[in-house]
Amino acid sequence: MTIKNKTQREVQLAQYIQQLDEFNWHHPEQANEMANSQYERDKTNYYTAQMALILKNNYQMSYNNIDYILQISVKHGFDLIKKYKQDFSSLEEIQEALENGEDW
């Protein structure tokens, strides 16, 4: 992977993370109420795990790099990768699922 491609991927990942947090930004009161919802935490963890799995399996990134890019702790990233199986084959598929509101 070239440096340019790596930088583009990091920018895309930052956009995906921002997309996950967009609802929290626009609806802070509802987001605070939903923060206690196990369903919301599970979906956030699921999509974060999917991004981590793609970085690990498709781009052979280390746990430290994955956690740095996704802005999560090493332990949390490791736990997510072990808990979930990879359901998406690319970051673009995750983006489509998030844009279409699939399972959210």
Side-chain angles (χ1 to χ4, degrees):
M1 178 185 300
T2 66
I3 292 175
K4 182 179 178 184
N5 288 343
K6 183 177 178 183
T7 303
Q8 288 173 343
R9 287 290 178 199
E10 289 176 359
V11 169
Q12 282 181 326
L13 286 170
Q15 290 172 345
Y16 299 152
I17 292 169
Q18 181 181 0
Q19 196 171 5
L20 286 172
D21 291 332
E22 185 175 343
F23 183 81
N24 296 352
W25 178 259
H26 291 293
H27 307 283
E29 291 176 9
Q30 290 176 345
N32 287 337
E33 291 173 11
M34 291 186 332
N36 294 327
S37 166
Q38 184 66 42
Y39 176 78
E40 294 298 324
R41 284 193 305 272
D42 288 346
K43 284 302 171 184
T44 300
N45 284 339
Y46 171 76
Y47 283 108
T48 303
Q50 292 304 308
M51 288 188 278
L53 285 162
I54 287 172
L55 290 173
K56 182 178 183 319
N57 296 332
N58 295 14
Y59 300 101
Q60 292 75 40
M61 291 195 163
S62 70
Y63 287 109
N64 288 335
N65 288 339
I66 292 168
D67 301 331
Y68 175 76
I69 290 170
L70 296 179
Q71 299 175 354
I72 56 176
S73 71
V74 174
K75 182 186 180 322
H76 185 60
F78 182 78
D79 291 344
L80 289 176
I81 287 173
K82 295 300 177 190
K83 181 177 179 180
Y84 293 94
K85 65 179 182 69
Q86 186 172 340
D87 294 331
F88 296 94
S89 61
S90 70
L91 294 170
E92 289 77 17
E93 285 184 12
I94 295 173
Q95 181 180 13
E96 287 177 25
L98 289 170
E99 287 174 353
N100 296 332
E102 250 179 55
D103 293 330
W104 195 268

